[in-house]
Each structure stands twice: as structure tokens, then as C-alpha cells.
Amino acid sequence: MMYFSGILKSDVTDASEKVVGRLKDILIKSQDGEYAPLEFLVIAGKGGGLFYIPYGETEHISKSGVVLRRVWDKLERVTERPTGCLSLVDDIYDQQIMDINGARVVRANDLRFAVVDDKMRVVGIDVSVRGLFRRLGLLWLDVFHLLKTNLIDWRDASPVRGTLKIGALASNFHRLHPADMADIIEDLHLKRGSKLVGYLDPRSAAKVLEEMDEETQKKFLKSFDPGRIRQILDNMSTDEVVDLIQSFSKSDAAVYLSFLGDERHQAVKKLLAHDDDTAGGLMTVDYIPVSLDLTVAQAMEEVRKFSARFRSILYIYGINTEGVFRGAISLRRLLLAKPEQKLREVIKKQKRLPTLSPDDNLNYICDMMTRYNLFSVAVLDKDHKMLGVVTIDDVMRTMRPRA
Amino acid sequence: MFKNFWPKIVIALGVVGPGLIAGAANNDAGGISTYAYAGSRFGYLLLWVLTLNVITLFVTQSVGARLGIYTGKGLSALIRENFGVRATVLALLTLFIANTAVSASEMAGIASSFEIFGVSKFITVPIFAVLIWWILYKGSFKKVERFFLLISLFFVVYVFAAVMAQPDWAEVGRALTVPHFSFGSAYLVAFLGIMGTTVTPWGQFFIQSYIVDKGVSPKYFKIEKWEVFLSAFFTCLIAAMIIITTKNVLYDNGIVVDSAKSAALSLRPILGNWAEFLFGFGFFCASLLGAFILPLTTSYTICEALGFEYGMNRTWKEAPWFYGLMAVIIGIASVIVLLPFLSLFHIMVSAQVVNAILLPVILVFVALLMNKTKKLGLPEPSKFQKFWYNLVTWEAVVRLSLVSLLLLVVSIFPNAGDHIINWAKDILF
């Protein structure tokens, strides 16, 4: 088992068994989904100066030191730093590392090497207390072997430092659920966090932002330029935007409102007028309204059109030309109906559906949704015009704001 | 005219407000005890240290703010990434010891505010230790934080108390500007105590992570600098007022403060019979605030640097080190306070001395970091700024180390002070 801490600063001897310098650093080439091979040894020469020796020149590398294959004078050695390489000391050691499988941020306490496919490679990052003790030369203190090594597979981790590396890392980052991404980004410091969000496409960025609490959302938004803010706000769901804008001061809120497109602006403004814990405040305007004259097939087409933009679609809602609510139909029913049937025939009629008015309070909403086993309810004004829907997710959020 | 006037006032209040609150909160129970002791024992003789402290506190804190704004990282993270594991462990160990000492001082503050009303520390300390940990664990601390901050503004009362005592302001002015030094161990203890309670290791870590958490952008560095300055100024202003009050009310009457109860006496002229009650209440709130903040920030800092999971939104299982460390700090602090042979008041003052002795370690790191402008991506400061920052920080390092060393020498050889004076006279004359 070879660790970086064991060989760093150890003596380097050449083929004539003369000590020629000390190991100062190792350069690697990192590629997605691959254990990084060691490329160059950085050696502080005995007579001064830094030398970059290709890894192929080593005969043997172990705790007792590095032995080179040839005599020092005959070696291929470079005095200029090779490009395109990462330095283990500067870029990896002691830096924050994202553990993509565990969805968390840790620090690299030590690195584990092993031979894979005939090459010496970095295979794991030790993030354990044991690694820390090893670095400090205090492992002998652990008489009862209480400390366990905790290695992260190199392929699951990406260092978070500098532009280039973050770009490479964002491609891995996509694999995570937005909620997990948000957790990681919140753990990073603002600067690196916002850089990382910067590498995501606007839709993913918006999703990640939706998963953060309002304070953090605000901090991140403020660190972006207006164009980026506009993109992200455009991709966030309307009720999230409303929550966000509500948490701003009046003057800030006006600024962020102005970033929204006209249609969005109107919708948000309407929602802002309602109290937080009433149906009006909780509801979202991201729902699909359709005319009852459409066929089932046409309705499905509508769903396809909106599906990318909305967080969830459980029902579609029938309205007439004045916007008066006429009924709702679940996706399940829609799926089971014949494509050529008219919606009018299959929709659940308005009279048989419980609905909310904007002033209904949270208690009432909860009671009703539980009683009728509803996943979402339409909110109507006094003329039965449809204003929005309250989904079960909106209600859950009020009970567990941090989740 | 008024159109431009009001926004300016609002901005000014917005800057003064947090500065004042931070200044008041800096003066926790340990601070108040130390100043009260210094004033009642040595009169105005230590006032000049406060003048130096304003400068040291302002410069070190604005360097911290600068590092936070431009790197977006906490101090412990910067130390780890630039100086490696050994240096980090040294810094964290220093912080841990210093902060545990301050936690003990806060616990002692809670206990002594109850002792004013005759409740034994053996009852209050265990109860509050468990309560504090529980509230921290549940993460419901943020809600009450502001309340306690506001209560700690109570000690602004010393400004009025000092004025009411009608001191000789010319004499105060002289004492603030003319240095005085003595080699008595009590004087050295008070000297270090005053330094250690204003400029603290935890304050240095705190300012930087506060700035990082707030996500201040470089544009606002000027405003932030003002906030830092005002908080340094108010901290030392209130400290000076406590010394002035205790000098006139207690020192002149031959009373030396040796407990919270006798410290409360200094407010008798202004608050009358309410003095003890109000002082006790303010003392309690200031201590409780610190008792919450210290274990929390210490654990946060250590976990961040070592790469353990941390944060209030984690569970015990996800972040055992985070919650475990908090429990350890609260536990050690409580045990120290419960030791029967230590007086609460001694604990409070000694904790500040421990802070002062350990502070140079942290300041050296800060000084080294602030000069690494290129590597950290800080803007290059002007030559004058660079000189000034270095001068003030290294002066504090040297001052603290020398006085700490002197205290060590004097406590081993009580006559060393006389020898040094004679020796100096021989050389000079």
C-alpha cells in the first residue's frame, strides 16, 4: 500500500546509488473516469533547481525512496514545467474535493497509488482521520486501530480549484440530483460555488437554485451578471420566483422583477399580492389549461409542450374562453382514454371537484387535501376563474422548509 | 435637499448599527470582568493599552475581511491550503485551547450572574451546559441570537455611568496617550487580559467566515472596512468607559473587583438599587451569547479545515465530529468552571490571558497570508498600506510575545522586574 505522504520529500537516488535530490511533487494527467497515471516526478536537485523527470525513468518507488533507472547525467530531464498536468501538491493535496457518490465536500488528506494497467496511478483519495494522522507521522498513537481508512475512488472525485478543473468537473456533476448538487454547492465557498453553477446550463442551474434556501439563493443570484440572472429566473418555476422575490427588500425586489419577461412579470405580480400561507400565496401558476373542445390526443400534445418547463404535471385543467374553471383530468385518465375522444367526455366535471379560493388558509387546505386524497387543487376567484393550483409539494414545503 | 439626506442617514445607520452591536458583543462577560478588574486595581494606568488595541483590532480585522472578500475562504481553509497539515493542526490546536478557555469564561459568566442572586454554580452550570448543547444540536440558535445581541447593548450604560462619575477628562486623555509600564505580575496579567479580550483568536477566524458567509463582493470592501473600524472603535470605547467608571467609583474608594457582584457595584451611582439586577441580567445574556457562539464556530472551523462534514442542516450521523466537538468544548468548559478551587472571577480573567498568550500564533499566520497577494489573488495593496499592515500586525505579535514571556519570568522569579529595571538603568545611564 503506497501513499503519497510516504514518498513525498524522500530521497531520490540514481542508478549509481548516489542521492541526487528530493521528491518535491508529482504531476499527473487527469481524465474523466480513469485513474490518473503519474506523468512527471518533480525533483529538487541536490545542487539546487527543479527538474521534471518523466515517470518512465523510475526503476522503483516506495517508502524507502525513489530509485531512478539511469545515471543522473544521462536522464531525460526537463527544467520547464510541462503543460496540461495537475500538481498533486498544489492542486490536490489539502484541497477541497467533491465526492460525487457521497454528494459531499471533503478534504484530501492523503493519496493512494497503485499499479493499474501496467502504470502507476492515483487510485484513491484518503479523506479519513487516519490519513491525517499518517500525514502528521502520528499513526503509532492509534494503538487499538480505532481509526479506519476512508478512501474515495479517484474516478468519483474532482478537485474544486481553478477554472479548467471546474469545467472538467461540471460534466460529472450533472449526474447528481439537483438537491444533492445544491448540498455540495452550499458547502463550497461562494466564489467556487458560483463558478460551478456558472458551468451548468440555465435549466439545471435553476433547478439547483430552487433546492437552496432563500438566503443562499440570494447570495448566489447577487454573484451573477444580469444576463445570467435573467436566464436562471426564466427557468425557475413561477412560485419559486415569487418566494424569492418576497424575501428581497423592496428596492431589490423591483430590480429582480424587471429581469422577468412581460408575461412572467404579470403572473408573479399577481401571486405577490397574496399572503404567504393562504392558497393564493402557496399556489403556482405553472399548470396546463386547455379547452374542453380538444381531443385527448391534442391534450397529450399540450402536455408534451409544457413538460420541460414545469416541475410536475399531475392534472390538466379545462377552462372556457373566459378562463372559467370547467374541470380537471389526471394524466392517468388521459392515458387510458381513446386518443380521438373529446376532453368534454372524459374530464371530471367542475361540480364534483373540490376547489380553493385564494384566501383559504393552510389548515383548511391541509384538511381538504387529506380528506379527498388530492395531489393538487385548483384555486378559483369568486367568478370561478382559474388562478392557479396548489400542489402537495407546495404544502409539504411549508412544513419542512429546509428539506 | 432632504432627498439626498435620508438615504445617507439610512446607510450611515446601517453601518453604525452592526458596528455598535459587534462592538458591544465583543465585550462579553470575560471582557467586562477584565476591564472592571483593571480599572478598580490600577485606575487609569492601563488605558493606553486600549488606544493601541483600537489600531491593532482595526488592522487585523480588516486584513481578515480582505482575505475573506477576495478569496471567499475561511482562515482555517487558507492555512490548510497554503501551509499544509502540520501548520493547520498547530493553528487549530491553538484555536481549540483558546476558545475552550473563552467558553469556560462564558460558562463562568453565566454561573456568576446567578451567584449574584445566590444560586450555586453546581446547579446552573450542568443545566446550562446541557441546554446549550441541546439548542445547538437542534439548530434553533439562530432565532434567539438577535435577542441576545440586543440585550448585550445594555453595557452601553457604562458610557453614561462614566460621564456621571465626572472624571477629570484631561487626566483620562493623558492616560490614553502616555504609555505606562510596570513589572508587577498583577499588572502584566491585567495588561495581557485587556489585550486578549479585545483582539482574540476566535475574532480573527470569525470576521473572515462572517464576511465569506455574507458573500460580500469586493465592491463593498470600503463599507466593510468602515463597519470593521466602527466595531473596533466601539469595542474599545465601551472598554475605556468601564475602566473610567470603575476607577472613579471603586478604585478611588479602595474597592478591588473580585466577583461579578462587586463589579455590579460600579453601576450603583447610575442605576441605584437596580444595579445588581440589571448588571446580572446583562452579564447573563452576554455570557449566554458567547457560550453558544464559541463551541459552534470552533467546531465549524476545525471541521472545515480537516474536511469533516459540518453544518446545522446535518444530522448527528452525518456529522459526528461537528456535534461531537461542540459537546467536548462545552464539557471541558463546564468541568473547569466546576473545579471547586478556582473562583469564577479568576477563570474569566485568566481565559483572556490565555487568549493573549496564544494570539501571536494566529496573527503570524494572518501576517504571512496577507503578504501572499499573488498566490491568493488579492489586489496588490499600496506600499504604504503594506507597510502599515505589516507594522501593526508584527508589532502586536512582538508586544504580546514579550509581555507573555515577561509574565512567565516574573511569576517564576518575582524579583526579576527590579533586576530588569536596574539592569536597564546601568546600560542607559
Side-chain angles (χ1 to χ4, degrees):
Chain A
M1 273 199 284
M2 193 165 65
Y3 286 98
F4 189 40
S5 62
I7 55 171
L8 190 64
K9 288 184 185 161
S10 62
D11 284 340
V12 180
T13 30
D14 69 355
S16 64
E17 293 187 8
K18 237 179 33 199
V19 177
V20 292
R22 291 207 314 164
L23 185 67
K24 208 161 167 244
D25 194 355
I26 294 178
L27 304 185
I28 56 164
K29 276 223 168 84
S30 180
Q31 251 180 341
D32 260 8
E34 192 183 88
Y35 295 119
L38 308 189
E39 294 289 336
F40 291 92
L41 302 182
V42 184
I43 294 171
K46 244 197 151 175
L50 277 187
F51 300 96
Y52 300 87
I53 314 273
Y55 187 78
E57 293 281 2
T58 45
E59 168 80 39
H60 175 75
I61 189 163
S62 75
K63 267 187 209 161
S64 48
V66 181
V67 182
L68 299 172
R69 243 161 25 128
R70 293 196 279 182
V71 192
W72 182 247
D73 295 329
K74 298 213 169 129
L75 278 175
E76 177 197 337
R77 38 177 213 226
V78 194
T79 45
E80 229 153 76
R81 192 188 154 149
T83 49
C85 291
L86 289 179
S87 147
L88 288 188
V89 170
D90 288 341
D91 298 326
I92 316 285
Y93 232 25
D94 292 327
Q95 303 296 320
Q96 282 189 317
I97 301 283
M98 277 184 15
D99 167 9
I100 299 208
N101 273 349
R104 63 198 172 135
V105 176
V106 290
R107 240 173 231 286
N109 290 334
D110 207 346
L111 298 167
R112 170 95 150 256
F113 298 152
V115 177
V116 181
D117 292 339
D118 290 339
K119 268 186 173 168
M120 184 65 89
R121 294 165 194 265
V122 184
V123 293
I125 299 172
D126 192 342
V127 297
S128 62
V129 182
R130 192 178 171 83
L132 216 58
F133 272 63
R134 193 183 314 112
R135 280 283 292 285
L136 293 166
L138 292 177
L139 261 192
W140 52 272
L141 277 178
D142 184 26
V143 214
F144 302 107
H145 299 283
L146 292 174
L147 301 173
K148 298 270 179 301
T149 307
N150 182 6
L151 285 178
I152 294 180
D153 191 308
W154 173 263
R155 297 171 300 180
D156 287 330
S158 320
V160 207
R161 201 191 190 200
T163 327
L164 185 144
K165 279 145 264 163
I166 285 187
L169 144 146
S171 62
N172 265 340
F173 198 55
H174 282 294
R175 302 202 320 240
L176 294 176
H177 186 275
D180 289 335
M181 290 196 219
D183 268 355
I184 287 191
I185 289 173
E186 282 178 55
D187 276 354
L188 291 171
H189 293 298
L190 181 68
K191 257 194 171 172
R192 280 177 290 176
S194 72
K195 210 176 223 168
L196 195 54
V197 178
Y199 278 98
L200 297 171
D201 63 277
R203 189 183 299 156
S204 318
K207 272 192 189 146
V208 170
L209 234 65
E210 283 181 6
E211 295 291 342
M212 296 176 175
D213 62 73
E214 278 158 18
E215 284 308 308
T216 327
Q217 280 179 344
K218 273 200 268 186
K219 267 195 312 201
F220 273 98
L221 272 186
K222 281 186 180 160
S223 72
F224 296 137
D225 58 80
R228 184 79 184 160
I229 296 178
R230 191 165 296 145
Q231 280 182 332
I232 291 181
L233 288 182
D234 274 350
N235 279 286
M236 279 171 79
S237 71
T238 312
D239 53 338
E240 287 284 346
V241 175
V242 171
D243 286 350
L244 181 67
I245 286 187
Q246 264 168 345
S247 70
F248 278 119
S249 67
K250 258 202 179 131
S251 56
D252 276 357
V255 173
Y256 284 93
L257 268 176
S258 72
F259 283 136
L260 299 171
D262 260 356
E263 208 177 308
R264 225 42 201 321
H265 194 136
Q266 291 308 322
V268 169
K269 266 203 146 161
K270 249 187 231 157
L271 285 180
L272 277 172
H274 299 288
D275 263 350
D276 246 2
D277 50 357
T278 63
L282 287 174
M283 73 184 179
T284 169
V285 292
D286 295 345
Y287 62 95
I288 305 178
V290 289
S291 151
L292 292 188
D293 298 327
L294 296 187
T295 64
V296 167
Q298 282 169 315
M300 301 274 267
E301 203 44 51
E302 285 293 297
V303 174
R304 272 189 203 101
K305 220 167 69 197
F306 284 101
S307 125
R309 258 182 51 206
F310 291 176
R311 194 162 56 200
S312 70
I313 299 172
L314 297 167
Y315 293 91
I316 58 177
Y317 296 86
I319 52 169
N320 69 9
T321 42
E322 273 98 55
V324 171
F325 178 67
R326 303 310 297 269
I329 178 167
S330 69
L331 284 191
R332 174 162 120 187
R333 252 180 132 174
L334 205 61
L335 242 125
L336 296 177
K338 291 190 192 82
E340 65 282 0
Q341 265 182 306
K342 281 264 168 19
L343 273 186
R344 192 179 300 284
E345 299 161 34
V346 289
I347 207 160
K348 220 178 202 173
K349 289 286 161 18
Q350 178 238 333
K351 272 176 245 149
R352 295 175 44 214
L353 281 171
T355 55
L356 292 168
S357 78
D359 299 329
D360 289 335
N361 63 24
L362 189 59
N363 267 338
Y364 178 81
I365 301 172
C366 287
D367 285 350
M368 179 159 98
M369 289 180 92
T370 327
R371 183 178 164 134
Y372 297 109
N373 299 320
L374 299 173
F375 285 99
S376 75
V377 199
V379 184
L380 313 181
D381 70 3
K382 53 184 184 307
D383 304 321
H384 293 283
K385 274 196 187 144
M386 182 150 178
L387 299 171
V389 292
V390 174
T391 67
I392 195 145
D393 191 37
D394 297 324
V395 177
M396 293 289 278
R397 252 159 221 274
T398 61
M399 299 174 180
R400 282 266 155 165
R402 261 302 304 149
Chain B
M1 184 187 133
F2 282 105
K3 227 179 179 177
N4 289 326
F5 178 71
W6 282 112
K8 271 187 195 156
I9 285 286
V10 170
I11 289 174
L13 283 181
V15 177
V16 175
L20 181 62
I21 291 177
N26 268 348
N27 289 321
D28 56 355
I32 292 154
S33 310
T34 308
Y35 302 131
Y37 169 71
S40 65
R41 174 89 196 252
F42 297 103
Y44 291 153
L45 289 184
L46 282 154
L47 267 185
W48 68 279
V49 182
L50 287 176
T51 314
L52 279 184
N53 276 355
V54 177
I55 302 170
T56 312
L57 186 58
F58 168 53
V59 168
T60 50
Q61 293 267 298
S62 50
V63 168
R66 213 174 127 85
L67 288 172
I69 285 180
Y70 289 104
T71 63
K73 290 175 196 161
L75 183 55
S76 61
L78 283 186
I79 293 177
R80 172 87 192 251
E81 285 164 24
N82 289 283
F83 304 113
V85 167
R86 276 161 209 271
T88 311
V89 169
L90 172 70
L92 293 181
L93 213 59
T94 308
L95 183 76
F96 181 82
I97 298 171
N99 285 4
T100 308
V102 182
S103 289
S105 147
E106 309 291 2
M107 275 291 181
I110 293 174
S112 51
S113 62
F114 274 91
E115 269 190 1
I116 294 179
F117 309 107
V119 184
S120 156
K121 66 179 179 182
F122 293 101
I123 300 171
T124 44
V125 172
I127 292 177
F128 275 98
V130 172
L131 195 72
I132 288 167
W133 190 80
W134 179 248
I135 290 179
L136 283 175
Y137 179 59
K138 280 283 160 194
S140 37
F141 160 62
K142 282 268 162 204
K143 290 174 206 154
V144 290
E145 187 180 6
R146 271 164 208 213
F147 169 74
F148 286 118
L149 262 179
L150 282 179
I151 299 286
S152 57
L153 274 177
F154 163 74
F155 289 103
V156 177
V157 74
Y158 270 105
V159 177
F160 304 103
V163 174
M164 250 186 77
Q166 293 180 322
D168 176 356
W169 290 106
E171 199 188 338
V172 171
R174 220 170 309 127
L176 275 170
T177 45
V178 182
H180 166 275
F181 204 78
S182 128
F183 288 96
S185 63
Y187 184 86
L188 294 177
V189 164
F191 184 103
L192 282 176
I194 287 180
M195 291 244 18
T197 189
T198 14
V199 191
T200 55
W202 81 267
Q204 203 55 46
F205 281 88
F206 179 78
I207 182 76
Q208 202 168 329
S209 50
Y210 171 75
I211 295 279
V212 171
D213 278 350
K214 231 167 75 170
V216 180
S217 89
K219 274 189 298 197
Y220 299 116
F221 181 54
K222 274 234 166 80
I223 296 182
E224 216 46 63
K225 219 167 151 183
W226 269 103
E227 196 180 320
V228 165
F229 172 72
L230 285 169
S231 114
F233 177 75
F234 281 120
T235 303
C236 295
L237 179 79
I238 293 174
M241 292 305 173
I242 295 175
I243 291 184
I244 293 168
T245 309
T246 46
K247 190 272 178 185
N248 286 284
V249 179
L250 303 176
Y251 177 79
D252 290 351
N253 294 313
I255 304 170
V256 174
V257 171
D258 61 355
S259 66
K261 200 166 179 147
S262 53
L265 283 181
S266 61
L267 289 176
R268 277 230 154 206
I270 186 167
L271 297 175
N273 289 335
W274 284 91
E276 283 186 355
F277 175 75
L278 289 176
F279 182 90
F281 185 62
F283 209 67
F284 169 72
C285 288
S287 309
L288 199 58
L289 182 67
F292 275 120
I293 290 180
L294 276 151
L296 177 66
T297 54
T298 314
S299 179
Y300 201 96
T301 311
I302 292 178
C303 289
E304 185 193 23
L306 298 186
F308 304 141
E309 284 198 53
Y310 57 89
M312 291 308 230
N313 49 355
R314 299 286 194 271
T315 63
W316 171 263
K317 255 198 181 143
E318 285 170 333
W321 285 91
F322 180 62
Y323 292 110
L325 271 170
M326 288 202 276
V328 167
I329 294 168
I330 296 171
I332 297 178
S334 310
V335 169
I336 293 174
V337 175
L338 288 180
L339 291 176
F341 50 87
L342 287 178
S343 91
L344 294 175
F345 197 74
H346 275 136
I347 293 173
M348 287 191 276
V349 177
S350 323
Q352 317 310 320
V353 177
V354 170
N355 259 271
I357 293 173
L358 293 175
L359 180 63
V361 179
I362 304 301
L363 285 186
V364 167
F365 280 120
V366 172
L368 291 177
L369 280 171
M370 77 185 171
N371 289 321
K372 279 188 178 243
T373 40
K374 221 173 259 152
K375 196 171 174 206
L376 296 179
L378 304 178
E380 197 62 39
S382 70
K383 271 219 173 97
F384 168 75
Q385 245 180 344
K386 205 167 178 177
F387 172 74
W388 171 243
Y389 282 167
N390 276 298
L391 177 77
V392 173
T393 316
W394 288 110
E395 183 275 333
V397 171
V398 171
R399 175 169 26 132
L400 284 164
S401 315
L402 275 183
V403 178
S404 305
L405 201 69
L406 213 58
L407 179 61
L408 183 75
V409 173
V410 171
S411 23
I412 299 173
F413 310 105
N415 295 325
D418 301 332
H419 290 301
I420 296 174
I421 293 173
N422 289 333
W423 179 61
K425 273 183 189 161
D426 282 350
I427 293 176
L428 290 174
F429 307 110

